[in-house]
Amino acid sequence: MRWALVKVCLAVTAMVVVAFAVPLGLVVQEMASDRAFSNAERQAATMGPTLSITTDPVQLRKAVESTQMGAAGRMAVHVPAIGDDAPVDIGDGWAGEHAVTQTRKMGRATTAKVSGGGSALLQPTALGSGDIAVIEIHVPESEVSNGVATAWMVLAGVGLALIVGSVAVADRLGARLVRPAERLADAAHQLGEGRLGARVPEDGPKELRSAAVAFNSMADQVVELLANERELAADLSHRLRTPLTVLRLNAASLGNGPAADHTRAAVEQLEREVDTIIRTAREQRSPHTSVGAGCDASEVIRDRMDFWSALAEDEGREVRLAGVDRTVRIPVARAELVAALDAMLGNVFRHTPENTPFAVDVHDAGDAVIVLVSDAGPGIDDPDAALRRGNDGGRDGSTGLGLDIVRRVAESTGGDVRLGRSVLGGTEVRVWIALDGRARGEARRSRRKRRGD
């Protein structure tokens, strides 16, 4: 495309140069010729007054020698025979007797080629006797073409400069068109090869800028769709752990026997498969969390506690709720908060013995909402390790991704998650959900400080 544009520009410019330079050169050549012959006519006209007065050879020779052309030996005067007087020829002629006779008969100026080069101007002039004398001026070729070669060289130089300039401009314009197109094609190949970070600079002509914007938007949507797909696979898999926990606890109450052992083995196998799905999906997911339109945290907590209360009653666990008697709006989608609560409550049932009490508290701090899930269990020996995302397979029965779901929900608002010792004596999971920019900034600074420690 770039070379094609250069060739088109080269052809067009060359035609324009030829169309204008050649006629202009011919005009210059014609003007030089006209200038030379006009000068010869003026020189011939200077002899007119002398010929109208006398035809004496001595006087005519003096008059011829007094002129510029005569002094240079380029003027001749041909006077015909008058009465008994013989013809008078002053100076050497160049055109020949025949050309002089024809000019005298026609009565107007003529030109004739000279064998030695150049031309001769023959100018008829009337004498007092009524006869016609002919003044001959030699015009050499160098005078006819004076300045013509220089003019042609100047025109050729200007034409060449125009062609070179137009090719250079066409090449730059072609590069400006081709490079964005090449970048767009290269980014499309990269995206096709699975490199999802490929993007195109949004520059160049308007049409290519629009194409780059559309490509980048498409690539962002592809990344978002893949991220959502992986998140969905991981989150749905993790949410299966809630009914699996119930199944495991129910299987533990079946007692001994082949059927009970087979049931417990099947539940454990299913848990391992779900853990594998979670790990696989989370290893590839993009760190992108989409926050929904928001929900009422109190209503969601009451609903989930209705679900978990039956299992808590079966295990003899005392449950306490606080702060859920009023509406508390948070910028988190209901499904995301449900997943986070199930992850935290599932950990309580999974990692604490039966008859262990736990509590769920909600605090509205104005610029943030704090959700506390605390228990009276044995606690967590290494809170930092528990907050690390994922599980490399070294911790049996847990992917370590329950708290990761909680953390992603909190950090999507600018908040964070902290683990500590609860007032009940066990583990406390404190979820900070920011409601405005100030809370987000404070949470980020707190996280940076904690990570620096």
Side-chain angles (χ1 to χ4, degrees):
M1 179 178 177
R2 181 176 178 180
W3 178 235
L5 183 61
V6 170
K7 289 192 293 184
V8 170
C9 188
L10 176 63
V12 171
T13 307
M15 288 189 293
V16 171
V17 168
V18 170
F20 284 92
V22 172
L24 186 58
L26 295 176
V27 169
V28 170
Q29 184 175 345
E30 186 67 24
M31 290 177 61
S33 177
D34 290 344
R35 182 176 62 251
F37 283 100
S38 296
N39 184 46
E41 289 178 354
R42 287 195 300 272
Q43 292 293 324
T46 61
M47 289 298 298
T50 302
L51 289 172
S52 64
I53 296 174
T54 181
T55 58
D56 181 64
V58 176
Q59 296 296 326
L60 290 179
R61 187 175 298 278
K62 290 181 179 180
V64 169
E65 290 176 352
S66 65
T67 63
Q68 179 182 357
M69 292 294 182
R74 294 169 50 189
M75 177 184 289
V77 178
H78 305 282
V79 179
I82 301 174
D84 296 334
D85 296 334
V88 177
D89 293 309
I90 306 298
D92 298 328
W94 295 271
E97 184 64 28
H98 178 72
V100 172
T101 302
Q102 291 295 325
T103 301
R104 187 176 287 123
K105 288 181 179 180
M106 290 186 294
R108 59 181 177 84
T110 62
T111 59
K113 288 294 183 181
V114 178
S115 59
S119 302
L121 173 67
L122 302 174
Q123 178 69 47
T125 302
L127 301 175
S129 61
D131 294 311
I132 302 297
V134 176
I135 302 171
E136 183 178 359
I137 303 294
H138 179 231
V139 182
E141 188 65 31
S142 60
E143 189 171 326
V144 173
S145 60
N146 183 30
V148 174
T150 302
W152 277 109
M153 290 178 63
V154 171
L155 291 174
V158 171
L160 182 61
L162 288 175
I163 292 175
V164 172
S166 65
V167 169
V169 172
D171 182 68
R172 292 299 90 199
L173 291 176
R176 187 168 178 263
L177 292 173
V178 170
R179 284 172 186 165
E182 290 177 345
R183 288 196 295 263
L184 183 61
D186 182 63
H189 287 304
Q190 293 183 37
L191 190 64
E193 293 171 357
R195 286 176 277 179
L196 302 181
R199 295 296 184 273
V200 182
E202 297 173 2
D203 56 10
K206 179 180 178 181
E207 294 77 8
L208 291 177
R209 286 200 307 269
S210 300
V213 171
F215 176 86
N216 291 339
S217 177
M218 177 196 69
D220 292 339
Q221 291 180 8
V222 169
V223 171
E224 185 173 358
L225 288 174
L226 290 175
N228 290 340
E229 179 183 356
R230 291 163 181 165
E231 288 293 342
L232 182 61
D235 291 348
L236 289 179
S237 300
H238 197 281
R239 289 169 189 177
L240 290 176
R241 296 181 63 85
T242 300
L244 282 175
T245 301
V246 178
L247 288 176
R248 182 176 59 81
L249 295 173
N250 290 337
S253 64
L254 292 178
N256 299 322
D261 293 340
H262 286 310
T263 301
R264 284 190 287 270
V267 171
E268 292 175 358
Q269 177 65 28
L270 184 57
E271 283 185 320
R272 285 193 295 271
E273 295 297 334
V274 170
D275 292 345
T276 300
I277 294 174
I278 295 173
R279 282 195 299 271
T280 303
R282 287 301 173 82
E283 286 172 357
Q284 303 178 10
R285 77 175 180 86
S286 172
H288 174 80
T289 302
S290 177
V291 178
C295 66
D296 180 5
S298 298
E299 188 273 331
V300 174
I301 292 173
R302 291 194 301 268
D303 178 71
R304 297 316 298 160
M305 289 308 300
D306 288 341
F307 172 81
W308 288 97
S309 60
L311 183 58
E313 184 177 352
D314 290 342
E315 294 190 356
R317 298 177 183 270
E318 181 183 350
V319 182
R320 182 179 62 83
L321 288 178
V324 295
D325 54 346
R326 62 185 182 279
T327 300
V328 179
R329 299 293 303 180
I330 60 174
V332 176
R334 178 185 176 86
E336 298 293 333
L337 183 59
V338 168
L341 287 171
D342 285 346
M344 291 186 288
L345 296 174
N347 284 340
V348 172
F349 283 89
R350 186 180 182 87
H351 300 296
T352 61
E354 296 184 6
N355 300 315
T356 300
F358 67 94
V360 179
D361 300 324
V362 178
H363 299 282
D364 189 350
D367 58 0
V369 172
I370 302 173
V371 179
L372 299 176
V373 177
S374 54
D375 62 62
I380 298 177
D381 296 333
D382 191 351
D384 291 335
L387 280 172
R388 293 194 193 100
R389 180 168 62 89
N391 182 5
D392 58 4
R395 299 196 300 272
D396 294 334
S398 173
T399 61
L401 291 171
L403 288 176
D404 181 53
I405 291 178
V406 179
R407 182 173 60 184
R408 286 190 300 106
V409 170
E411 291 184 354
S412 69
T413 68
D416 64 358
V417 177
R418 301 178 187 178
L419 295 183
R421 181 66 65 175
S422 73
V423 295
L424 299 178
T427 301
E428 177 185 85
V429 182
R430 178 185 294 265
V431 183
W432 179 285
I433 300 174
L435 300 180
D436 57 24
R438 182 179 60 184
R440 291 184 177 91
E442 292 174 354
R444 291 191 183 99
R445 288 192 294 271
S446 176
R447 288 199 301 275
R448 285 196 295 268
K449 181 178 179 182
R450 189 173 67 252
R451 290 169 184 169
D453 295 341

